[in-house]
Amino acid sequence: GIQVEQSPPDLILQEGANSTLRCNFSDSVNNLQWFHQNPWGQLINLFYIPSGTKQNGRLSATTVATERYSLLYISSSQTTDSGVYFCACRILTGGGNKLTFGTGTQLKVEL
Amino acid sequence: DTAVSQTPKYLVTQMGNDKSIKCEQNLGHDTMYWYKQDSKKFLKIMFSYNNKELIINETVPNRFSPKSPDKAHLNLHINSLELGDSAVYFCASSQDGRAPYNEQFFGPGTRLTVL
């Protein structure tokens, strides 16, 4: 099956700093989503981005499908950005319609 | 105006018991899913239903039985609970999981603790 790898596994930032989270995947995909799991356990949809670039406030994401990676940019980080960031992919052919998740990036933003 | 809802939010029970988790979506989607998040926060698909038809059963013990009475509801029944079943269970939905380019939306999760 598809392998989804995220880096870094852990990240500590000072409030106001910028960061880039990376997601590498091992096969062609027709769905790639970024999620934020907040400290209360909720999975929040950040981006649906099988290809291209999207921006939403301080967050933006880019997926280069031909090179099998996606990047999530967080600018001017805030303490409320803390939590785990997951990338999840759906394989293009075969594998059904399931999302395969990466192991996540644990982010802590400090004052 | 909750999109995907689950009940209960927390479930604490003894080993050997049988329990159910319910999920409902009001997005008008055809496809619903159950995912399991283990203690290391790893998320993995368990089941997927499209319009009440099972389309994914991902090597889950047969103590787990999903049931979809209609396309807006997908329930998960677990028999003879074991300690290893302790996890957070997430329900999700998408417009048509058989089609490409479908975004999935997740419920708030049910934290199951087996004692």
Side-chain angles (χ1 to χ4, degrees):
Chain A
I2 188 171
Q3 305 297 314
V4 183
E5 296 178 352
Q6 292 185 241
S7 60
D10 298 280
L11 186 58
I12 300 175
L13 296 175
Q14 294 296 311
E15 196 172 45
N18 303 329
S19 64
T20 300
L21 281 55
R22 187 176 180 101
C23 172
N24 291 333
F25 44 95
S26 62
D27 211 328
S28 298
V29 300
N30 61 12
N31 181 357
L32 188 143
Q33 294 184 236
W34 282 98
F35 298 89
H36 174 215
Q37 187 165 36
N38 63 24
W40 295 270
Q42 285 181 299
L43 270 174
I44 299 163
N45 284 41
L46 295 178
F47 293 100
Y48 168 69
I49 187 163
S51 63
T53 297
K54 291 187 178 179
Q55 179 152 6
N56 184 1
R58 297 179 297 102
L59 301 182
S60 64
T62 295
T63 298
V64 184
T66 52
E67 297 186 22
R68 299 186 183 169
Y69 72 89
S70 183
L71 302 173
L72 177 69
Y73 306 95
I74 304 174
S75 64
S76 304
S77 57
Q78 301 176 357
T79 55
T80 51
D81 294 332
S82 296
V84 184
Y85 289 79
F86 289 105
C87 166
C89 303
R90 172 185 166 180
I91 196 170
L92 183 62
T93 55
N97 57 356
K98 64 183 180 184
L99 283 176
T100 299
F101 281 77
T103 50
T105 292
Q106 176 85 51
L107 172 65
K108 184 175 181 182
V109 182
E110 299 177 333
L111 290 172
Chain B
D1 60 344
T2 304
V4 182
S5 59
Q6 297 178 227
T7 54
K9 190 172 172 63
Y10 300 97
L11 186 53
V12 181
T13 189
Q14 298 288 328
M15 259 193 325
N17 284 350
D18 304 337
K19 290 293 178 186
S20 291
I21 306 171
K22 300 190 176 199
C23 178
E24 177 181 0
Q25 55 92 4
N26 63 5
L27 296 166
H29 289 167
D30 283 347
T31 307
M32 297 183 72
Y33 312 79
W34 280 110
Y35 288 83
K36 178 180 178 180
Q37 185 173 42
D38 63 22
S39 58
K40 295 183 179 177
K41 294 194 178 290
F42 185 65
L43 277 146
K44 188 175 179 186
I45 184 78
M46 299 174 69
F47 299 104
S48 174
Y49 267 75
N50 189 76
N51 203 4
K52 303 193 295 177
E53 178 188 354
L54 179 68
I55 52 176
I56 289 181
N57 183 342
E58 194 80 0
T59 61
V60 177
N62 58 15
R63 296 183 297 102
F64 290 79
S65 53
K67 287 197 170 43
S68 182
D70 56 61
K71 71 176 191 177
H73 296 84
L74 179 61
N75 304 323
L76 183 64
H77 187 77
I78 315 171
N79 289 327
S80 303
L81 277 155
E82 300 178 356
L83 294 176
D85 298 331
S86 295
V88 181
Y89 293 85
F90 285 97
C91 177
S93 74
S94 69
Q95 189 156 9
D96 181 356
R98 298 166 304 172
Y101 307 108
N102 255 240
E103 184 174 5
Q104 293 187 23
F105 297 87
F106 282 71
T110 295
R111 181 175 294 277
L112 170 65
T113 303
V114 182
L115 302 174

